[in-house]
Amino acid sequence: MSAPTRLLFPLIRNCEFGRICSSVCYCHHKHLCCSSSHSSLKLGADTRHVSAFHNPRCAQVRRYVTTPQRFYLTPPQVNSILKANEYSFKVPEFDGKNISSILGFDSNQLPANAPIEDRRSAATCLQSRGMLLGVFDGHAGCACAQAVSERLFYYIAVSLLPQETLLEIENAVESGRALLPILQWHKHPNDYFSKEASKMYFNSLRTYWQELIDLNTGETTDVKEALINSFKRLDNDLSLEAQVGDPNSFLNYWVLRVAFSGATACVAHVDGVDLHVANTGDSRALLGVQEEDGSWSAVTMSHDHNAQNESEIIRVKSEHPKEVKTIVKQDRLLGLLMPFRAFGDVKFKWSIDLQKRVVESGPDQLNDNEYTKFIPPNYHTPPYLTAEPEVIYHRLRPKDKFLILATDGLWETMHRQDVVRIVGEYLTGVHHQQPLAVGGYKVTLGQMQGLLMERRARTSSVFEDQNAATHLIRHAVGNNEFGAVDHERLSKMLSLPEELARMYRDDISILVVQFNSHVIGAHQNKDQ
């Protein structure tokens, strides 16, 4: 997630420029920045014009990195980069319990940060019904997004289990018998799972299901309520684990990294024709709908939780009525944080005393880090941040063809209608040609002919990709001003070194879920 648009804009960008200029400023995590000799600089919205380059060493680097590069990646090299993290899964039409309304899904990620701060997850619920799919956008490091991507689906799955299944699982743990599997994961080989923390994660999850057993009301679990409770409970566990610590030095540092970093989450639960999307932060879910004339339209399934959402501004101000002048500044929470809802980010949730106590008693890596010791300005009545999701329900129709879940790296570069059209045309192979628009640009007849040739080539370029998410990333990174994929632009963007890539784009993570219209139509006919 974007440091300039997310968190501690001046501090983080100064650290990045320090690295580019080979200064002594170094941080284990790019977004947990230590103090820098450039800390007094005032950075504008476009950090590429920062005055830090007055330093002679920096000026040399600037001349180097802005020299036009003559080396471009070949199409096979571009494809190799774009397809490195792609994953596809085809859902069996009948899983032994139900006929699935999901045909399958494609996912992919393209890093801008090193390491990438986004995560993705997909799993089938084995003891209840439905599938869970989600994207997670980390900031101030990848630790929180990593933990949430591993753990949240278990909390949701447990929340949806009937009382007798919960009792069966608890009895199995008590007696040392093998546990019933709760989830079947669908993961790319690069999607990491933390073995070191698995026991701690399990103990926290077990405490949660024990409480669910004790609180049994005998009523059927509502999916919306289960999603909300799971998000809030996991965030609470992340906070408690950081406060309690762990005797193992690695785990002790890990839980603190998780708590002090942050992550947004956008999760879909699909069960038959019932689609629920739970969103915390500014990743998005979008439904692709095919109209009767074959054209595509987009249905928004989530709302951004940031300053562009007026209802969010009203919410945070109503929760802190004596701080209406300071709680949102420069479109950021307390002038620092772009999302108004997120996991982790205890710097916006804990009291000042608790923050100081945890940092002072923590490992040296934490105590020596300027970011963790930094207290946000005008910090009077925490918590200012919540992980509670906004849940939107939609009953699927035969014309609902696919669902896109993506982090903001995609939405910063493409309009939602273009996203749906590109995916829809890719999945169906049918391209609805609109009148060629040049957007006010002056073009010659020769340039117009070139654009028309590009349009013709675009229909055949679909066959380069066997993954809808990959195809979407290709457009997000390589589209020119006319909406066509420009290989030269794509090559340049993918050739940028990691120090510069983050200045031009964010990490991109995408899940494209394709629905089975025949199954959904059968549900609809049955209900009628």
Side-chain angles (χ1 to χ4, degrees), residues 71-249:
F71 170 75
Y72 298 125
L73 299 172
T74 64
Q77 289 172 324
V78 166
N79 288 340
S80 178
I81 293 172
L82 290 179
K83 297 180 180 184
N85 296 308
E86 70 178 10
Y87 178 82
S88 296
F89 180 76
K90 302 303 177 188
V91 177
E93 186 171 349
F94 183 71
D95 61 7
K97 295 182 180 179
N98 311 286
I99 298 176
S100 177
S101 59
I102 296 178
L103 288 171
F105 70 86
D106 292 336
S107 73
N108 202 351
Q109 294 183 298
L110 183 67
N113 293 293
I116 186 172
E117 295 182 341
D118 281 5
R119 293 295 185 269
R120 57 180 167 177
S121 293
T124 301
C125 299
L126 296 177
Q127 301 305 320
S128 57
R129 304 194 319 175
M131 256 186 106
L132 288 163
L133 309 106
V135 292
F136 311 91
D137 192 347
H139 49 267
C142 61
C144 188
Q146 176 64 42
V148 174
S149 70
E150 292 184 48
R151 304 177 66 180
L152 181 59
F153 287 7
Y154 280 113
Y155 281 69
I156 296 172
V158 163
S159 299
L160 292 170
L161 292 178
Q163 184 75 3
E164 54 269 25
T165 306
L166 289 174
L167 287 169
E168 187 177 346
I169 292 174
E170 175 60 21
N171 291 334
V173 175
E174 280 289 334
S175 61
R177 290 184 284 112
L179 285 176
L180 293 169
I182 297 174
L183 295 172
Q184 177 190 352
W185 290 95
H186 311 299
K187 301 185 78 69
H188 187 277
N190 293 345
D191 294 341
Y192 172 74
F193 254 55
S194 174
K195 295 180 180 178
E196 298 86 354
S198 58
K199 183 177 180 181
M200 178 183 66
Y201 291 172
F202 176 80
N203 289 337
S204 294
L205 181 66
R206 184 186 181 188
T207 300
Y208 179 45
W209 81 52
Q210 287 174 336
E211 292 180 13
L212 291 175
I213 292 172
D214 293 340
L215 295 171
N216 177 38
T217 60
E219 298 178 1
T220 304
T221 306
D222 176 72
V223 176
K224 179 178 179 179
E225 183 182 359
L227 289 166
I228 293 173
N229 291 342
S230 300
F231 274 59
K232 293 168 65 176
R233 177 53 182 253
L234 175 56
D235 190 54
N236 185 65
D237 283 353
L238 299 180
S239 176
L240 286 175
E241 289 161 1
Q243 294 176 50
V244 173
D246 193 280
N248 180 298
S249 58

Side-chain angles (χ1 to χ4, degrees), residues 412-444:
E412 288 170 356
T413 62
M414 297 188 72
H415 188 272
R416 63 176 191 163
Q417 187 59 46
D418 292 330
V419 168
V420 165
R421 176 185 57 79
I422 288 169
V423 172
E425 292 179 352
Y426 169 84
L427 292 176
T428 61
V430 177
H431 295 256
H432 290 265
Q433 304 288 24
Q434 301 296 324
L436 188 62
V438 294
Y441 291 91
K442 294 181 179 179
V443 296
T444 65

Side-chain angles (χ1 to χ4, degrees), residues 242-393:
Q243 294 176 50
V244 173
D246 193 280
N248 180 298
S249 58
F250 171 83
L251 286 180
N252 192 42
Y253 185 43
W254 172 250
V255 296
L256 290 166
R257 281 177 53 197
V258 169
F260 277 91
S261 59
T264 66
C266 188
V267 172
H269 179 266
V270 185
D271 179 12
V273 294
D274 297 319
L275 168 64
H276 290 82
V277 173
N279 183 57
T280 289
D282 53 9
S283 293
R284 294 181 188 171
L286 200 61
L287 198 62
V289 180
Q290 190 170 34
E291 305 297 346
E292 291 184 3
D293 64 357
S295 63
W296 295 94
S297 61
V299 175
T300 300
M301 287 297 299
S302 65
H303 302 297
D304 292 353
H305 298 133
N306 54 28
Q308 278 62 57
N309 184 340
E310 185 63 31
S311 63
E312 279 296 284
I313 294 180
I314 294 172
R315 179 185 63 82
V316 296
K317 286 184 176 181
S318 67
E319 292 173 357
H320 304 271
K322 296 183 179 179
E323 301 169 70
V324 292
K325 293 183 178 180
T326 58
I327 194 166
V328 178
K329 282 193 169 184
Q330 298 177 328
D331 288 343
R332 293 171 175 81
L333 190 67
L334 297 180
L336 297 173
L337 191 65
M338 180 65 82
F340 287 7
R341 305 191 193 196
F343 285 91
D345 283 321
V346 294
K347 296 196 69 60
F348 298 85
K349 296 174 181 176
W350 288 356
S351 68
I352 293 176
D353 289 342
L354 178 57
Q355 291 187 45
K356 289 181 177 179
R357 179 173 62 80
V358 171
V359 170
E360 290 170 0
S361 62
D364 292 340
Q365 303 101 307
L366 189 74
N367 200 29
D368 293 341
N369 193 296
E370 292 296 328
Y371 167 72
T372 55
K373 292 192 290 186
F374 172 80
I375 301 297
N378 302 302
Y379 197 82
H380 305 300
T381 57
Y384 292 92
L385 193 66
T386 179
E388 180 173 343
E390 184 177 9
V391 180
I392 294 179
Y393 170 77

